[in-house]
């Protein structure tokens, strides 16, 4: 068996993570803290000798910035890059631009959690006229019928798996160490697949910003054990902070 290495990295803190706003496909940048997180993520890769041969990112600036900063810190800024909308964050529909704590207060915890963490119930659809809609954004020209206006985690899995089974699998099968920089929910979708997590259990899984999560895979690209965060303590604290983003005290 040839062991393959996959590294997952959620972008560092974004401007809208800092403001506690539902972001989805809205293209916001990293904060200074987010850039520092990305740099630390890259330094961890270098320290552990986990050097990516190829990068796959979403089309969103916060993931692209994170990859650039992390790879620079790991002395791997030169590796080939593939960017694809299938790695984008879950489209948060009409919730995009809304404050998470205010949304929980307005609609109640049950509805808030259903929209945020249920497996297959998407938030309300965003209209093309909404200021946070991506309709007409040139980076999505050509997606047409597949362009989402809202998504649940299930929809993210459906649109992400062809990319996992295609370009990412090709690089892994070629023996390359693959870095994927993406988002809280697109990475939850990948972790669900890799660790065989059930539709109900996945609701309690949260991905922290900026900490590399490493998988060893077998020839069938199945995970050998669970993924390991390179800084487990910081990862646990970061995941807990993500989990509590609906409560006012966390802001
Ligand atoms: C966050 C995830 O996405 O939010 O869209 O608000 O990873 O791009 O910052 P990211 C968003 P939650 O699902 O954790 O609320």
């Amino acid at each position: 068996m040839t062991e393959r290495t996959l590294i997952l990295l959620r972008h560092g803190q974004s401007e809208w993570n800092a403001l506690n706003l539902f972001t989805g496909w809205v293209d916001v940048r990293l904060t200074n803290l987010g850039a520092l997180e990305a740099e630390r993520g890259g330094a961890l890769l270098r320290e552990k000798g986990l050097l990516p041969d190829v990068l796959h990112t979403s089309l969103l600036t916060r993931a692209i910035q994170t990859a650039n900063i992390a790879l620079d810190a790991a002395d791997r800024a030169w590796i080939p890059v593939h960017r694809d909308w299938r790695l984008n964050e879950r489209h948060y529909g009409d919730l995009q631009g809304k404050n998470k704590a205010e949304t929980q207060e307005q609609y109640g915890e049950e509805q808030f959690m259903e929209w945020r963490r249920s497996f297959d119930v998407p938030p309300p659809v965003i209209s093309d006229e909404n200021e946070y809609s991506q309709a007409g954004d040139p980076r999505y020209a050509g997606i047409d019928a597949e362009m989402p206006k809202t998504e649940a985690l299930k929809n993210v899995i459906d649109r992400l798996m062809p990319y996992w089974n295609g370009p990412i699998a090709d690089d892994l099968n070629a023996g390359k160490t693959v870095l994927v920089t993406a988002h809280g929910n697109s990475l939850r979708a990948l972790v669900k697949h890799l660790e065989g997590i059930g539709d109900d259990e996945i609701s309690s899984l949260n991905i922290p910003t900026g900490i590399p999560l490493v998988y060893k895979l077998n020839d069938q690209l199945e995970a050998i054990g669970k993924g390991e965060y390179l800084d487990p303590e910081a990862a646990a604290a970061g995941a807990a902070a993500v989990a509590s983003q609906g409560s006012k005290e966390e802001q």
Side-chain angles (χ1 to χ4, degrees):
M1 181 188 79
T2 325
E3 232 180 55
R4 293 142 209 293
T5 304
L6 170 71
I7 304 160
L8 306 182
L9 181 62
R10 181 181 174 192
H11 60 79
Q13 186 198 57
S14 76
E15 290 164 344
W16 278 23
N17 293 149
L19 294 170
N20 207 21
L21 305 180
F22 285 105
T23 315
W25 282 37
V26 180
D27 197 20
V28 297
R29 299 183 66 83
L30 295 184
T31 61
N32 290 339
L33 174 61
L36 286 173
E37 289 175 336
E39 197 177 340
R40 165 104 175 107
L44 283 169
L45 293 179
R46 195 189 56 228
E47 275 165 35
K48 309 277 179 193
L50 284 160
L51 301 178
D53 298 310
V54 62
L55 165 68
H56 293 263
T57 76
S58 72
L59 294 185
L60 294 166
T61 301
R62 56 196 186 272
I64 293 168
Q65 282 184 291
T66 297
N68 291 348
I69 295 168
L71 286 172
D72 199 25
D75 261 335
R76 305 293 276 191
W78 48 270
I79 63 172
V81 178
H82 305 274
R83 308 190 195 287
D84 201 282
W85 70 273
R86 291 177 188 277
L87 291 172
N88 269 20
E89 180 52 302
R90 178 250 283 248
H91 196 298
Y92 250 120
D94 197 47
L95 296 181
Q96 290 189 170
K98 293 190 165 53
N99 181 281
K100 292 180 188 180
E102 286 169 15
T103 303
Q104 170 156 319
E105 199 168 67
Q106 185 178 353
Y107 294 96
E109 191 183 351
E110 199 178 325
Q111 177 65 86
F112 173 79
M113 285 310 289
E114 183 171 73
W115 282 334
R116 191 170 178 235
R117 286 292 178 266
S118 74
F119 179 63
D120 55 8
V121 181
V125 164
I126 198 168
S127 81
D128 289 352
E129 289 68 44
N130 186 309
E131 63 179 309
Y132 300 122
S133 159
Q134 283 65 54
D137 185 327
R139 89 189 76 184
Y140 303 117
I143 295 179
D144 301 327
E146 287 184 286
M147 175 88 178
K149 294 187 181 202
T150 186
E151 290 181 304
L153 190 66
K154 181 181 187 309
N155 307 116
V156 179
I157 295 172
D158 290 347
R159 54 105 151 147
L160 188 142
M161 286 319 286
Y163 194 74
W164 166 258
N165 288 318
I168 297 179
D170 289 348
D171 281 335
L172 289 165
N173 284 327
K176 294 177 185 162
T177 294
V178 173
L179 173 63
V180 174
T181 58
H183 304 266
N185 293 294
S186 50
L187 292 177
R188 289 175 69 238
L190 256 188
V191 169
K192 181 179 189 302
H193 168 72
L194 287 165
E195 298 197 9
I197 300 172
D199 296 354
D200 291 336
E201 284 73 54
I202 193 63
S203 63
S204 59
L205 182 104
N206 290 289
I207 308 272
T209 51
I211 305 173
L213 172 59
V214 180
Y215 284 91
K216 294 290 176 194
L217 308 176
N218 66 18
D219 292 330
Q220 280 72 51
L221 305 187
E222 295 160 346
I224 305 167
K226 293 177 77 125
E228 286 184 16
Y229 281 105
L230 294 188
D231 185 342
E233 244 174 70
V242 175
S244 60
Q245 277 171 346
S247 62
K248 284 252 172 196
E249 305 81 69
E250 292 303 317
Q251 290 200 82

